[in-house]
Amino acid sequence: MRRRDFLKRTAAAAAGTFAAAHVLPARAQAHKDTLLTLSEGGPNNLDVMGVGTNRPGYEASWNTYDRLVTYGVKKDADGNDHYDSAKIAPELAESWDLGDMSVTFKLRKDAKFHDGTPVTAKDVKWSFDRAVTVGGAPTFQMAAGSMQKPEQFVAVDDYTFRIDFLRKDKLTLPDLTVPSAAVINSELAKKHATDKDPWAMDWLKNNEAGGGAFKIEKWTPGQELIYQRFDEWKSGPVPKIQRVIWRIVPSAGNRRALLERGDADISVDLPPKDVAEMANDKKLTVVGSLIESALIYLSMNVKIPPFDKVKVRQAVAYAIPYQKIMDAAMFGRGKPMFGGPSEVTTTDWPQPTPYVTDLAKAKQLLAEAGLPGGFETTLSFDLGYAVTQEPLCILVQESLSQIGITVTLNKVPGANWRAEFSKKTLPLLANVFGAWLDYPEYFFYWNYHGQNSLFNDMSYQNPAMDKLIDAARFETDPKKYDEEVEGFITTAFADVPRIPLFQPWLDVAMQKNVTGYRYWFHRQLDYRQLAKT
Amino acid sequence: MTATLRHARYVLSENPVTAFAFALFFLLALCAALGPALAPFDPLASDTAEALTGPSAVHWFGTDQLGRDIFSRIVVATRLDLGIAVTSVALAFGIGTLLGLAAGYCGGWIDRIVGRAVDTIMAFPLFVLAMGIVAALGNNVANIVYATAIINLPIYARLSRSEANVRRNAGFVEAARLCGNGEARIVLAQLLPNIMPLMMVQVSLTLGYAILNAAGLSFIGLGVRPPTAEWGIMVAEGASFIVSGEWWVAFFPGIVLMSAVFCFNLMGDGLRDIVDPLRRT
Amino acid sequence: MIVLRRLATALPVIAGVIVVTFLLTRALPGDPAVYFAGPAATEQAIEEIRHRLGFDRTLPVQFFDYLQRLAHGDLGTSLTTGQPVTTELLTRLPASAELMLLALFLSVAIAVPLGIAAAMRPGSPVDHACRIITTAGVSLPTFFTGLLLVYVFYYLLGVAPAPLGRLDVFDSAPPQHSGFYLIDSLLAGDFETFRAALAQLVLPAATMAIFTLAPLARITRAAMLGALGSEFIRTARASGLARHRVVFVYAFRNAVLPVITTLGMVFSFMLGANVLVEKVFAWPGLGSYAVEALIASDYAPVQGFVLMMALLYVLLNLVIDLVYGLVDPRVRLEA
């Protein structure tokens, strides 16, 4: 009766709405110059030198600011474009003269910021002074290339800029290619500086003052960021894409669905399983690049018993179900770091350890360490990486239970993770670390050195290894360098405070008509090379 | 007694849906009681070679992303889910009803304090309050139970308060007072049994809600810890596989979850029909 | 008069909410000082930041600070988005409100007629069907329903638009008047945008509506049954009034009171279910904001969100009481 009528009417109305939505023109295809990229999270700050700026913030900075120099490009094993760490190429600086204790850059004379102001050496000085003064991540990153004091930066004249060295460091020049070494429009920024905020941190958080290939048209934090090409960009070939829309879509399933239906162009952080399947389907282009100097690993805090006994640590290393993790957590999208040769003969880093899954050997080592009955412990991991870390940890937990080690899993939410592991109270944890500068001694300096930095989550302190690391960092003799590097890698494997598991890949999925993708060390998208055919 | 049973049977026969709900409830209770004995596979044993295989003769509900048998996990999870639901509802019911009775019967400042406390809890969006409590206290089953108990407390408090208020000066209460019964005795021995039927209806409905609450918390990441089998967390984990076509990982736990909640809700309705005096005419 | 009295009784509740929220968020794990200090911070640097942000002071002092800032409308800054909480809450409020109101409308449009029909024929298949449909709706977890709808209607059938939020990527928002895209686009005469916004709204609103069908249908049915069985209806029927008039003009008007009360309860429930639905549909509303902040132990947005919800709830109850007074003369006379 009436209800039936009413229900019929409601159903008809709903169907009509759906039909209307379907009949609307498919706008997604109408825009050849516009790129739609999706990701799980967005920038929390547009200023790469901001407090607590996250990785999406680095992507925004990379595309809207220029740096003095950049890397060249080469092809990787699969024929995809890959940044070339051996070739430093001009960006804002046209040429440079590397002296003994200083380097002098000649800036290009036609470069302008987005508001039309010419880029001069005083902007570079202001930006670098800012980077080494504000503290936090940018200062730490600049220091990695021995750039620590504002006195080192000299604006010789409008288009000549010099950096004086504190010491000879082969990382100084590469350190100028990183996102943190951005060149900011100092005049514009200074207009918004205050007495309490001399570096305009507040204003630059929500506004960009760069001269990069893209300008920011609109930013709605947590939702989307729209870029517009800066047509007067002179530091390289003008990008083919005119507009980039970056949308935040928290659900990975939705991101995948959007890509597969052709409603989005490119996405970077999809789960390995989805990527593996999309690679198989061949409807989309999937590029997987090995991330240099990066590792997914298990760390044991050597200050917390029983992980202070080397045999216990080795037992755990033999009890990890490596291949199972590779299949069920990584879906093959990673390079195994286990089952390698028994002796270290190269300085490649990362390289596989000699450990394999051998439960009998693990039990034996535990017994030798005086713990034949096993023990109890907690395995912590970052919820932000749960897609791979959770299955990984569940499998580890299961395997360890077979040698008598009872493990409770501890999921730590993303923003708390840094706080948690910096306290160095976690006995066992799964983590990921990737260095921007691809040198083994750099990786070891931050992860294994007794200076006990934040990233040394094993609280590992071994003076013998420290000597080797320190020597390798400034070593000029190639033969001695090889000995030192192989030396500290051998110690790391024998002592095994940290069990390397995999070298991760960076997987990017894109429509077949998107070309020009180039893998960068910061693992974010560079829109300047992309094009849609 | 027999009159009630006869009436109950009458209602059930008139209402096959309710009868079905009661039957389902007994099935669930059986699963919870027998638990692991009914599971063909070890719910925690992974078998990555068999990961993400669909329903088959060997794995009735298929396997999940680590190769664990979904049917076994669902059966074992029954005990945990029902346990969480029953414990939290028992707590909410016990504390809430007593507070409400005291408030409704005594009035005065007890009424005002309890009223304010209950209003404060109800001023929060309840699920967000549960999220906050679990986030602050930590992810474990105990805290999920406490959080669920706290957010369901107000319903019982309000219901028992209004019922006690209405019956405060009813005939049988006056009679009990005249017989010399103390106030506490009146509340516990006279009022409480009198409102029990209505409360039972509410209990049944809240049981369903408690299970959904735990499932929602798991979806956000604040539920039980892996690798524990719990319906909600299985649906949450399976959600990411729907788009790639492995529908069974989320579907079966979802259906069982829905059936359990459905069952409790229908039972609540059925109990209401049995208990509702209007239907007796 | 009633308004003032109601507000007065609400004050202790709001005070309670402020205190509880403060304690709860301070109890959240995680250390914002470490987060702000950055990756290479030394112990000393972290201590400095902690001092600068005021986290090293005692709890009562921090609470007093919090109250002071609250009085100025300053709800703090979010760690994850870096924006002031007040601005974000106000920007996101229309998104959530539009969604919830549409869901409520859909829910009422289906549940009330269903309940009335079930009440008119108790015990019939219609009655059973009503029970089953509504109970089924309330038994599914909202996030599951949402995912299922996305899978079926977007991925398989392609009839619904992509779950990308309030508008498709290539559409721009209508000029802002109320923040409600449906209203604003109509005001601007922009029917394309109206259709686009409506299309994006349908699935998430349906997901929420499915869940809230049950209590509404149930209450309508119960209230209608009660009304239809009452003395004055019997009189009306005996007097020979048309059935249509009896049911809709007399019975329904009296049954509507408990329905209104339930609407309030349902709306407050939606405020909670919001977080799940918004997560699935990438809806830029208050729910997703709060849940992301909670997971990240970002206390300022959580505090702000809960406070705002509590205030909305108090306001809502006030409105319901007033409407009650309008509809039911007895309430007015009593007061």
Side-chain angles (χ1 to χ4, degrees), chain A residues 320-391:
Chain A
I320 306 288
Y322 296 103
Q323 194 56 46
K324 266 192 176 184
I325 297 177
M326 187 59 164
D327 297 332
M330 308 288 297
F331 290 89
R333 315 292 301 179
K335 184 168 167 200
M337 285 289 125
F338 54 92
S342 49
E343 261 188 52
V344 175
T345 49
T346 73
T347 58
D348 289 340
W349 182 259
Q351 54 172 283
T353 69
Y355 297 102
V356 289
T357 313
D358 187 341
L359 290 177
K361 193 149 183 195
K363 276 201 211 130
Q364 186 197 351
L365 280 164
L366 259 190
E368 281 173 28
L371 288 164
F375 55 91
E376 275 184 38
T377 188
T378 315
L379 171 55
S380 311
F381 64 95
D382 182 352
L383 194 56
Y385 289 94
V387 171
T388 41
Q389 303 291 50
E390 196 168 306

Side-chain angles (χ1 to χ4, degrees), chain A residues 246-266:
Chain A
W246 181 4
R247 269 285 176 108
I248 311 303
V249 178
S251 158
N254 285 346
R255 291 201 297 282
R256 177 182 173 168
L258 286 163
L259 268 176
E260 290 189 327
R261 290 194 55 87
D263 286 329
D265 293 313
I266 186 169

Side-chain angles (χ1 to χ4, degrees), chain B residues 33-209:
Chain B
L34 295 178
L38 287 175
F41 291 87
D42 177 356
L44 296 178
S46 70
D47 184 0
T48 47
E50 293 282 312
L52 293 171
T53 50
S56 64
V58 178
H59 294 284
W60 297 342
F61 286 172
T63 57
D64 68 7
Q65 71 275 19
L66 289 177
R68 298 174 295 198
D69 180 41
I70 293 181
F71 179 72
S72 308
R73 282 174 71 78
I74 289 180
V75 167
V76 167
T78 313
R79 184 181 280 186
L80 182 60
D81 274 295
L82 285 190
I84 293 178
V86 169
T87 321
S88 53
V89 171
L91 275 175
F93 168 73
I95 302 177
T97 313
L98 285 176
L99 281 177
L101 279 175
Y105 186 73
C106 304
W109 58 270
I110 301 184
D111 191 7
R112 268 195 289 264
I113 292 184
V114 172
R116 288 293 158 269
V118 164
D119 281 343
T120 309
I121 297 181
M122 294 218 76
F124 289 89
L126 293 177
F127 182 66
V128 176
L129 183 59
M131 268 173 29
I133 297 175
V134 177
L137 296 179
N139 264 22
N140 53 46
V141 176
N143 291 333
I144 296 176
V145 169
Y146 296 142
T148 314
I150 291 176
I151 66 176
N152 284 312
L153 208 133
I155 303 179
Y156 293 102
R158 277 203 180 159
L159 191 60
S160 57
R161 178 187 171 280
S162 67
E163 293 301 320
N165 218 2
V166 166
R167 289 174 177 62
R168 199 198 228 169
N169 293 314
F172 69 98
V173 172
E174 286 283 348
R177 240 182 244 139
L178 283 172
C179 290
N181 282 318
E183 303 289 313
R185 206 182 139 82
I186 294 179
V187 167
L188 290 172
Q190 298 289 337
L191 275 180
L192 187 57
N194 196 269
I195 66 173
M196 261 317 212
L198 274 165
M199 304 303 284
M200 280 299 107
V201 171
Q202 197 57 48
V203 163
S204 175
L205 296 171
T206 320
L207 278 173
Y209 181 65

Side-chain angles (χ1 to χ4, degrees), chain A residues 253 256-257 273-274 277 324 328 390-391 394-395 397-398 409-411, chain B residues 44-46 48 52 65-66 68 221 225-227 237 241 243-244 246:
Chain A
R256 177 182 173 168
K273 171 176 180 294
D274 292 309
E277 283 168 10
K324 266 192 176 184
E390 196 168 306
I394 296 180
L395 289 170
Q397 177 197 47
E398 203 195 342
L409 292 182
N410 178 21
K411 287 198 313 202
Chain B
L44 296 178
S46 70
T48 47
L52 293 171
Q65 71 275 19
L66 289 177
R68 298 174 295 198
R225 292 177 198 219
E237 284 173 2
F241 297 108
V243 172
S244 47
E246 285 102 5

Side-chain angles (χ1 to χ4, degrees), chain C residues 160-177:
Chain C
L164 271 181
R166 298 182 79 187
L167 275 180
D168 185 37
V169 210
F170 297 101
D171 288 319
S172 44
Q176 174 112 345
H177 292 291

